[in-house]
Structures are given as C-alpha cells and as structure tokens.
Amino acid sequence: MLLTYVDESHSSEVYFLGAVLCPETEAISLTEALDEVVWKAIASYGNITPDTELHGYDIFHAKRDWDHLSGKPRARIGVYADALQAIADHDVKIILTGVDLVGLRRRYGENHDHPHSITLTHLLERVDEFAKRSSELALIIADECEGQEGYRRELRQYRATGTWGYKARKITTVVDTIHFAASSASRLLQAVDLVSFLFHRIHIDADNDPRAKKANEQLWARVEPRVVHRRVWYP
C-alpha cells in the first residue's frame, strides 16, 4: 500500500499540489526521522516543543514557532536540509502537479474550475498511473482544505467514469476515499508541505539573491532523485 500524502502550495502565478508516496513499511520510520529533526532543533536552538510543525513557509520565513530563528538563516536552512534528507533517505516517491493561474484565467475567464480541483485531478491520474505500474494500491491522505466533500465526490466519479482531459483515465488503484487531516498532527503531511513549498518557490523564481537561489537548489537536490513526475499545465 502506498500511503499518499497530499498538500498544496500556491501564489498568484501558479497553484501546486505535491504528493509523497510512502510505502506502508516506511511510514513509521520516516515519521520518527522527522521527529528527530525537531529534537535536533530543540537541542541546538531551543524555544520549540517536540510537536512543533515542520512547515515550509514558517521555517523559511522564521514565522510562528520558528520566529526565534529570524536572524539565523543558516540555522533555518539546516533544519530544512535535515528534514529533506530524512525524506530522501526513505523509499518514497514524489509527484508534483501544477496549473498556471494566469493562463487559466486568460483561457477560461473567472468561471474556471477551482485550481485545487484541476491539480488534484492531474495528481490522482499520476498517482494511479504509478501505483498501477508498481502493482500497488494507494490511500490518499490530504491536508485539510475547503471543499473537501466535493473532492471526495470527484474521486468517486473518476472511479466510475474516469477523469477528463487528454490524459483521461479511470482511477482503479486509489482505495476508499480521500482522507483529510490536520498537517499539525502528521509528520508525513509536513513532509509533502516541505517538498511542495520549496519546489513552488524555485519554480516561480521567488528569490533574487544568488545566495538564496543556490541554497534552494542545494536543498532541492536532496529530494530531486525521489521525483517520478512533475508538470505544470499552461492552458
């Protein structure tokens, strides 16, 4: 069984969904490894608790639980690097799907489908494709968001009649429903948040400082070998 953790990252330019596909045999080990990242941060910098969330935006910008590291960019990069390395050290796969929001509005106007629905459809197709190729089943665990029941209905429809678009397919390997959970309670949802946030930031070229660009690239290099699909749809 592939435990498939899903989270979004978006800006005015692009909307991303990422997925970390974690074999059930790796889930406990990866959770413990990410717990160790937090314990290491406690030992090194203090001022956080063992249940502190590894949230990409907060670590990167020194917000909320990580605000005491606001003047320590190397420390924040170190925490982020430790977390990404923990992910990379496990037998997980990463899928990233996105949609260009400028092109979406230009082509379809303001009545287009919600970008979360669009990217989730593409994500489910690729998860199903990978799971079928690997002779696996996939269970979807997503970060809480608005419109949850609608996304569950869409999955039921995709099982019955298939998805839409030029890569339309009938979803056959995703079991049960989409399970939504709070990222604060799940290290594995935090894992996909870290991955999605960093990839999004690199994709939109958010940093002008060459040192920040280099740091981001070095961070991404840790998990890039785990990526089996990444695509942004430009309508």
Side-chain angles (χ1 to χ4, degrees):
M1 178 77 71
L2 294 171
L3 303 178
T4 302
Y5 293 87
V6 177
D7 195 13
E8 84 283 352
S9 182
H10 53 85
S11 60
S12 61
E13 302 169 48
V14 65
Y15 197 105
F16 274 109
L17 273 181
V20 169
L21 286 66
C22 182
E24 56 187 290
T25 53
E26 296 279 283
I28 292 176
S29 176
L30 179 51
T31 297
E32 291 174 344
L34 292 170
D35 282 340
E36 284 300 315
V37 171
V38 175
W39 278 110
K40 180 181 176 181
I42 291 171
S44 299
Y45 313 114
N47 292 324
I48 57 172
T49 62
D51 60 353
T52 293
E53 186 172 355
L54 291 165
H55 190 270
Y57 180 89
D58 292 344
I59 297 173
F60 199 92
H61 294 288
K63 300 296 184 182
R64 297 201 297 182
D65 290 337
W66 300 94
D67 62 357
H68 63 293
L69 297 181
S70 60
K72 300 179 179 179
R74 289 186 180 181
R76 300 199 308 276
I77 290 171
V79 173
Y80 217 119
D82 288 344
L84 291 180
Q85 192 60 53
I87 297 166
D89 288 342
H90 288 76
D91 185 23
V92 302
K93 304 300 180 187
I94 295 169
I95 293 175
L96 297 151
T97 60
V99 59
D100 176 68
L101 297 177
V102 176
L104 186 66
R105 289 189 291 267
R106 183 189 307 120
R107 181 169 177 178
Y108 296 104
E110 295 302 323
N111 294 322
H112 58 71
D113 290 344
H114 195 289
H116 193 102
S117 174
I118 294 169
T119 50
L120 181 60
T121 301
H122 296 164
L123 186 80
L124 290 171
E125 289 172 345
R126 304 291 74 77
V127 168
D128 183 69
E129 187 176 68
F130 180 84
K132 188 170 186 178
R133 189 166 64 243
S134 305
S135 300
E136 290 274 11
L137 296 175
L139 181 69
I140 308 295
I141 305 103
D143 192 15
E144 293 175 326
C145 65
E146 293 183 4
Q148 293 175 180
E149 189 51 46
Y151 301 135
R152 291 189 178 111
R153 285 196 300 270
E154 289 177 358
L155 174 57
R156 291 195 293 270
Q157 177 184 336
Y158 299 157
R159 282 205 193 95
T161 61
T163 62
W164 46 268
Y166 81 102
K167 287 192 174 183
R169 62 185 291 123
K170 198 170 183 178
I171 302 300
T172 61
T173 64
V174 175
V175 302
D176 199 22
T177 185
I178 301 176
H179 297 269
F180 292 93
S183 62
S184 59
S186 170
R187 289 288 184 216
L188 300 180
L189 280 174
Q190 292 167 36
V192 68
D193 175 87
L194 292 165
V195 169
S196 298
F197 175 81
L198 180 61
F199 181 71
H200 179 198
R201 193 165 186 86
I202 292 171
H203 180 83
I204 65 173
D205 202 21
D207 294 291
N208 296 320
D209 188 329
R211 294 170 299 178
K213 289 177 182 287
K214 183 178 180 180
N216 290 346
E217 290 167 359
Q218 290 173 338
L219 287 171
W220 183 251
R222 294 174 183 264
V223 293
E224 201 277 336
R226 295 294 182 186
V227 177
V228 295
H229 175 86
R230 59 181 175 188
R231 176 179 178 264
V232 178
W233 177 42
Y234 292 92

